[in-house]
Amino acid sequence: MRAVLVEPNPLIAEALGRQLGMGKIRYDRLDWPELEELLAEQGGEALGFDAIVLGGLPDPAAAVASLRAQRVTAAVLCLLERRDVAATVALLHAGADDVLVKPVVSAEVRARIEVARRRARGLVSNAVRVGRLTVFLDGRDPNVGGERLRLSQREHAILGVLAAHHRRVVSKEHIYDEVYGLSGADPLDKVIDVYICKLRKKIAEATGGARYIETVYGRGYKFEAPPEHEEPDTPPRLLRAVTPFKGLVRPPSAPIAAVG
């Protein structure tokens, strides 16, 4: 996961950076003019970050509104010095995904960013069910029919990217950027191909030879259950009216005496 940290105070920025690092979030520290320059060069939709963490700006609501006006789709997390309901409301109305009060904790920052990203992808939980596989996006190993499928850290990260884009083609470049960011040093094509091969083998062994990851030549990979593992679509069930438990039914109230 990659983030931009905008915090003008160097001491606070260092403390926030430590928390981001503890949450395994790679980050680049930029000041606001530098971020605006980057947006002017690349455009909001092409900005290669999962999240933008804003803290210590004179007018954070205006900054958030500017990001959304430039079509920035990254999660925007704002940090306040103290609890301020009016400021929080203004930030949320401007387009912020979440607001936290300093000091922050790494696990909470990462969790809130993941929730924002999940909503943006149309996912309602951390579990993605694909055929017989259940892939968890919160760090847990996937399972097949309730049995744990043990994966390495890199394998889990790559499968998580594919599962988050279930039934859509994901390019090698996107996978590499999501998993490695700027820290990757291995040749892109080879390293992704190697891990995809390992994932296919492990999934096939757990599912009786099924192939869940397809290569779309010239474009990337697609994660989808094979036809024999697809569950038939079923209409949503209507909830039945709940009958109160007899032991909790209130006795009828006594008649109100007429006044007169």
Side-chain angles (χ1 to χ4, degrees):
M1 184 184 295
R2 296 179 60 203
V4 174
L5 172 61
V6 181
E7 171 55 64
N9 186 310
L11 293 178
I12 296 177
E14 183 180 355
L16 291 173
R18 284 197 299 269
Q19 290 299 319
L20 293 175
M22 290 170 61
K24 297 182 179 180
I25 300 173
R26 297 181 301 276
Y27 73 94
D28 295 331
R29 185 190 168 199
L30 303 175
D31 59 28
W32 180 250
E34 288 174 330
L35 180 56
E36 287 187 310
E37 183 178 348
L38 187 63
L39 285 169
E41 293 175 356
Q42 298 186 8
E45 295 177 335
L47 192 66
F49 294 95
D50 301 301
I52 298 175
V53 181
L54 299 178
L57 294 180
D59 190 349
V64 173
S66 175
L67 292 174
R68 295 313 189 198
Q70 296 178 76
R71 298 183 178 180
V72 171
T73 57
V76 177
L77 184 65
C78 297
L79 308 179
L80 297 179
E81 297 293 337
R82 58 186 176 277
R83 179 172 172 78
D84 187 329
V85 174
T88 299
V89 171
L91 288 167
L92 294 174
H93 283 169
D97 291 285
D98 213 335
V99 181
L100 285 174
V101 178
K102 301 173 186 176
V104 297
V105 180
S106 59
E108 183 177 9
V109 173
R110 184 178 181 92
R112 289 179 182 271
I113 292 174
E114 288 177 343
V115 167
R117 294 178 68 201
R118 193 169 68 230
R119 286 198 302 259
R121 291 166 173 168
L123 302 174
V124 296
S125 76
N126 273 324
V128 180
R129 179 78 178 272
V130 181
R132 297 178 185 173
L133 268 72
T134 301
V135 182
F136 300 100
L137 306 180
D138 57 4
R140 289 177 288 166
D141 280 333
N143 69 55
V144 180
E147 295 294 326
R148 180 182 177 186
L149 177 61
R150 295 181 181 274
L151 301 179
S152 71
Q153 181 180 353
R154 296 298 189 197
E155 291 166 353
H156 186 281
I158 291 174
L159 183 60
V161 175
L162 294 173
H165 297 82
H166 173 220
R167 292 181 176 174
R168 288 177 285 175
V169 178
V170 186
S171 69
K172 290 182 183 180
E173 291 81 3
H174 183 83
I175 297 172
Y176 190 84
D177 187 62
E178 285 270 342
V179 176
Y180 289 91
L182 299 177
S183 64
D186 298 320
L188 183 151
D189 284 345
K190 290 183 179 179
V191 71
I192 299 301
D193 287 342
V194 167
Y195 281 114
I196 291 292
C197 183
K198 291 181 178 180
L199 279 171
R200 280 179 174 150
K201 182 178 180 180
K202 289 186 176 182
I203 293 174
E205 289 175 351
T207 59
R211 188 179 179 89
Y212 276 72
I213 302 174
E214 292 294 334
T215 299
V216 181
Y217 292 99
R219 295 177 60 194
Y221 300 101
K222 182 169 64 171
F223 181 57
E224 186 174 18
E228 64 272 19
H229 286 195
E230 285 281 10
E231 294 184 355
D233 294 332
T234 55
R237 293 180 300 171
L238 296 177
L239 296 177
R240 296 183 303 170
V242 178
T243 303
F245 180 56
K246 291 182 179 180
L248 299 178
V249 176
R250 294 192 312 172
S253 56
I256 300 175
V259 177

